[in-house]
Amino acid sequence: MSELTIEIDVLRYRPEMDNEPFTQTFEVPYTAEMSILEALQYIKDHLDSTVSFRWSCRMAICGSCGLMVNSVPKLGCKAFLRDYYPQKISLEPLANFPIERDLVVVMDDFIKKLEEIKPYIIPEKEKCLSEGTYQQTPEQMAKFKQFSMCINCGLCYAACPQYALDNKFTGPAALALLARYNRDSRDNGEAERMKIVNQEEGVWGCTFVGYCSVVCPKDVDPAAAIQLLKVESSKDYLIGMFKPD
Amino acid sequence: MQIIKTDVAIVGAGGSGLRAAIEIAENHPDLDIALISKVYPMRSHTVAAEGGAAGVAQDHDSLDNHFNDTVSGGDWLCEQDVVQYFVENAAKQLTQLEHWGCPWSRKEDGSINVRAFGGMKIERTWFAADKSGFHILHTLFQTSLQHPKITRFDEHFCLDLIVENDKIQGILILDIAEGEAKLIQAKSVIMATGGAGRVYSYNTNGGIVTGDGMSLAYRHGVPLRDMEFIQYHPTGLPGSGILMTEGCRGEGGILLNKDGYRYLQDYGLGPEVPVGQTKNKYMELGPRDKLSQCFWQEQQKGNVIKGPRGDVVHLDLRHLGEEKINERLPFIRELAKAYVGVDPVHEPIPVRPTVHYTMGGIETDAKTATKLAGLYAIGECASVGLHGANRLGSNSLTELAVFGQLAGQQAADYARNSKHEKITPLRKQAETIMARTEALLHSEGTEKMADIRQEMGDCMEEGVGIYRTKESMQQTINKLAELKKRYKNIQITDKSSVFNTEFLYAIELGYLLDTAQAMAHSAILREESRGSHQRIDGFEKRDDNNFLKHSLAFYQGDKAPKIDYSSVTITKSQPAERAYGAAGEKAHAQEKV
Amino acid sequence: MSKRKPYIRELPRDWWMKQLFYTKYMIREGSSVLITLYSLILAWGVFRLSQGETAFNGWLEALQNPFAIILHLLMLILALYHTITWFSLAPKAVDLWIKGKKLDDKVIVAAHYGAFAVLTIFCLLIITL
């Protein structure tokens, strides 16, 4: 049996050697169940050990291995060679992020944005552990659950042209996380977070391209979160107009 | 070299590390905390835990029940005072997570729902659908962001511990992006680096689970305890080893051999419970070690299914129906579809046992302190004595919360009562470590890293697997010695500084090899069968006279580790026969008489 | 001295041509230009009406021009395209819950089309009666 192979283009960038990225082509044995991540591991183990990329869980939950597969943001562990074979595959680091090296991008700005939106329960008053858990019905939980499923992989930022044009925009994942806490019945921090939402860089930086929700590997639907926040922000604005300050 | 002074340094920002950090930040606002992680915290492997976290939640349950399940589940190798502390604090700490926002699945009235889990007499597993670890980790990470005293060092790799005057005084870390070392001077250090499942070829673990903390402590003379006890999870996907949660069986999933027969009833877990019902501690709700052993037995009999990715049995969820699968096990459905092309609503999932958890780890006392002054250890990298010879599913997520909190307290107290010492000797040590590290980077070796890693994983599966013999373990020991030798001549092509992952993998492989050695050497000397350590060379029975004791592996450099033993704390549960199914019920009834 | 040198990729001017999804988005956004033009033409008609019958008839006549017809056809197509794409996105901005379940996306989209049809018929009736 002759071994099937597939060609993979990897965008390389080694900051200590290169001034700009270049493409390196590898020929990798093909099997139908092989993921892009496994192909990269094959490359690192057997073809060129200097290719750098992030990965860990292999099961689409840790959010490490985001990259562009044929210009579409994907998780390497959840994209499979079979969906491209026998065509050549092109792999590039996540768009809209600076390239640290090879397929590794600089995530600092993304992480900073997650940090800034106050992603924690701000209770009305401190609840004692002896009082037990909050009551929260499945209905109340359903209001925010979807927006709590984000794995912080950054695919939505790579899909967002608004973030590409102006990276001051808070962006899809952070705003979805903000919505997650605002919509949680245990939380009372909405007023604080609406200040972030109402800013120019908040929800109004979004022009509803909607591609973020298409590429999201966890169906978080950040575009929906942002539109819902826009409604809240508009309400805030209207109420503000009639409220003497 | 950059020097950063802090009060408490925490290595590892998974569930336990984050929990400890928050504990200190909330209660000791005057203390500085350095939280070091080789990945962004939400990538930590806590994220992949699926099933849930155990804590008594129902009126007809009791702390004693949880205690007894844990101790018998661990085949009486648990530290019973530790188990007692654990069960008493479990629900409280899970409630704390709930206050911080963890979306535990609820009953209609809004109270916490619990599910059945293997080896647990009464349902007490709190769950967030089938992404419990994910939600716990993200909740903790996000909660930690409100504390300005927690300084995170994301994507910083721990190179070594700085030990001076017989106490820990800091750590040396490598900024992965910069390729530069930083010396963190700390009064106390908490190890929270997770397990070492990656020493095996087939495992449910992420690539980062490489035993870093275990090896670092071990190399500094802290013993690794009970390392021979490695948990095989009975239901991993063939090939990748991706986890199919025990929650599948908790919700009523069944295991079938090639004839569609529920083979577990042949191995003391029956009688068969009708499909669609579950009975705690019966059949599919037996403990993990037993279920994995049953697979091996079936394999010997030729009753397994030959698949393209090796032998499997079937995990059948079809009778649960689409609605329940979508509500309780949506991630399982997603994973099965993506990785084996099976929709569990319509087809059974092929599964096989894969390495999942290291019961052993850095020896600590009941309050998470190690033998090295100022060093604490928690979570999977630690052996606080909770799991004994076999961990019950859903005890480890609770462990993160309970002992993370405790370690935070302990390390903070220690830090408050000690001072930073002179930096000069620490810096000197750091320079020595850096020289050693640089030497490794610039070595001109010829041994292929991938080969060593593969051979290590395969020899561990072969010799220190589900069933063990002296001969197979000896072969593994010999192989590991050979691999350690070859490791000294390892080839590192990439000599660059910025995000050099090849270099990091090389260091991690060193950690893995040391951990593997501790496992194999502890295993061969335990001449009995207990929990996950099962021998088929004349030591098929548990031997309480000689082996009701913990093994302790001491690092000896290039030589084989020295194995010693320590006693097991027994408070109220005397060792008895460990039985499940009807036999378990009978034994329990007799005890009561 | 840091050896890091993060590389920032320039966003090419034609970024929206490289991915069909973006192109469709740009057409959706771009359609507003012609829709604005259409409103201006309509406003111009109202203005001409205020100037008397001759002026208004002149405006009507100008609309008979083949160029004007083609333009109007184009505007109609784009307006319809904008409507369809907008309706398909509408569920994302709707937060209606019934018995603890989010209202099905299909229902929201269907309701939009329903309202669209009713309004169109209503307008047609006004014009023709």
Side-chain angles (χ1 to χ4, degrees), chain A residues 70-89:
Chain A
N70 290 351
S71 301
V72 177
K74 298 251 182 205
L75 291 178
C77 67
K78 222 191 162 192
F80 298 90
L81 300 185
R82 58 175 177 261
D83 296 323
Y84 303 91
Y85 184 80
Q87 262 77 43
K88 198 183 210 184
I89 301 176

Side-chain angles (χ1 to χ4, degrees), chain A residues 56-167:
Chain A
S56 178
C57 76
R58 314 164 286 141
M59 55 192 276
I61 192 76
C62 79
S64 302
C65 64
L67 77 176
M68 307 298 282
V69 183
N70 290 351
S71 301
V72 177
K74 298 251 182 205
L75 291 178
C77 67
K78 222 191 162 192
F80 298 90
L81 300 185
R82 58 175 177 261
D83 296 323
Y84 303 91
Y85 184 80
Q87 262 77 43
K88 198 183 210 184
I89 301 176
S90 123
L91 302 180
E92 292 184 13
L94 276 184
N96 304 341
F97 291 95
I99 306 176
E100 183 79 76
R101 167 187 175 152
D102 298 336
L103 297 172
V104 175
V105 295
V106 181
M107 295 288 272
D108 298 3
D109 183 56
F110 172 75
I111 300 292
K112 195 171 121 251
K113 280 172 171 146
L114 291 179
E115 290 169 352
E116 280 171 355
I117 53 101
K118 299 181 193 279
Y120 35 80
I121 298 281
I122 301 174
E124 192 177 352
K125 63 174 178 52
E126 281 301 325
K127 192 174 164 86
C128 209
L129 285 183
S130 56
E131 293 171 57
T133 59
Y134 289 88
Q135 293 293 112
Q136 186 173 59
T137 63
E139 288 180 28
Q140 287 173 316
M141 194 160 82
K143 294 251 174 174
F144 73 85
K145 188 74 191 285
Q146 184 180 18
F147 302 141
S148 74
M149 303 303 258
C150 171
I151 60 172
N152 302 163
C153 61
L155 262 52
C156 53
Y157 283 67
C160 177
Q162 289 307 114
Y163 181 71
L165 291 164
D166 180 6
N167 65 12

Side-chain angles (χ1 to χ4, degrees), chain A:
Chain A
M1 198 182 85
S2 71
E3 207 182 62
L4 301 175
T5 60
I6 187 168
E7 277 193 319
I8 299 182
D9 278 347
V10 177
L11 194 72
R12 299 293 311 270
Y13 173 65
R14 299 157 303 177
E16 289 149 88
M17 284 184 253
D18 308 322
N19 284 321
E20 56 182 40
F22 65 98
T23 302
Q24 190 177 353
T25 306
F26 298 98
E27 195 171 330
V28 173
Y30 167 83
T31 59
E33 64 265 28
M34 200 170 187
S35 67
I36 298 275
L37 172 64
E38 286 167 315
L40 281 169
Q41 288 169 328
Y42 181 88
I43 291 171
K44 190 161 182 77
D45 282 349
H46 303 290
L47 304 178
D48 186 342
S49 60
T50 68
V51 180
S52 278
F53 51 93
R54 290 187 178 104
W55 70 282
S56 178
C57 76
R58 314 164 286 141
M59 55 192 276
I61 192 76
C62 79
S64 302
C65 64
L67 77 176
M68 307 298 282
V69 183
N70 290 351
S71 301
V72 177
K74 298 251 182 205
L75 291 178
C77 67
K78 222 191 162 192
F80 298 90
L81 300 185
R82 58 175 177 261
D83 296 323
Y84 303 91
Y85 184 80
Q87 262 77 43
K88 198 183 210 184
I89 301 176
S90 123
L91 302 180
E92 292 184 13
L94 276 184
N96 304 341
F97 291 95
I99 306 176
E100 183 79 76
R101 167 187 175 152
D102 298 336
L103 297 172
V104 175
V105 295
V106 181
M107 295 288 272
D108 298 3
D109 183 56
F110 172 75
I111 300 292
K112 195 171 121 251
K113 280 172 171 146
L114 291 179
E115 290 169 352
E116 280 171 355
I117 53 101
K118 299 181 193 279
Y120 35 80
I121 298 281
I122 301 174
E124 192 177 352
K125 63 174 178 52
E126 281 301 325
K127 192 174 164 86
C128 209
L129 285 183
S130 56
E131 293 171 57
T133 59
Y134 289 88
Q135 293 293 112
Q136 186 173 59
T137 63
E139 288 180 28
Q140 287 173 316
M141 194 160 82
K143 294 251 174 174
F144 73 85
K145 188 74 191 285
Q146 184 180 18
F147 302 141
S148 74
M149 303 303 258
C150 171
I151 60 172
N152 302 163
C153 61
L155 262 52
C156 53
Y157 283 67
C160 177
Q162 289 307 114
Y163 181 71
L165 291 164
D166 180 6
N167 65 12
K168 285 197 202 68
F169 174 41
T170 306
L175 287 168
L177 185 62
L178 189 152
R180 173 250 176 277
Y181 280 98
N182 270 7
R183 294 167 71 85
D184 191 320
S185 58
R186 295 166 290 190
D187 179 79
N188 195 44
E190 185 170 6
E192 283 181 50
R193 288 190 208 97
M194 283 313 286
K195 290 178 201 154
I196 302 162
V197 171
N198 294 339
Q199 288 167 352
E200 184 77 35
E201 308 84 62
V203 286
W204 302 107
C206 165
T207 54
F208 208 174
V209 180
Y211 198 40
C212 52
S213 292
V214 176
V215 303
C216 177
K218 294 282 131 182
D219 295 325
V220 174
D221 204 350
I226 296 175
Q227 303 326 304
L228 297 175
L229 285 173
K230 280 182 185 168
V231 175
E232 294 306 312
S233 180
S234 308
K235 278 193 217 159
D236 245 29
Y237 179 74
L238 280 174
I239 294 166
M241 273 176 35
F242 296 107
K243 221 165 62 182
D245 239 343

Side-chain angles (χ1 to χ4, degrees), chain B residues 539-558:
Chain B
F539 303 109
E540 285 80 358
K541 289 265 177 321
R542 198 175 80 194
D543 177 2
D544 287 335
N545 288 330
N546 295 306
F547 287 100
L548 183 56
K549 51 192 183 182
H550 300 293
S551 68
L552 298 172
F554 290 88
Y555 183 69
Q556 304 293 316
D558 288 340

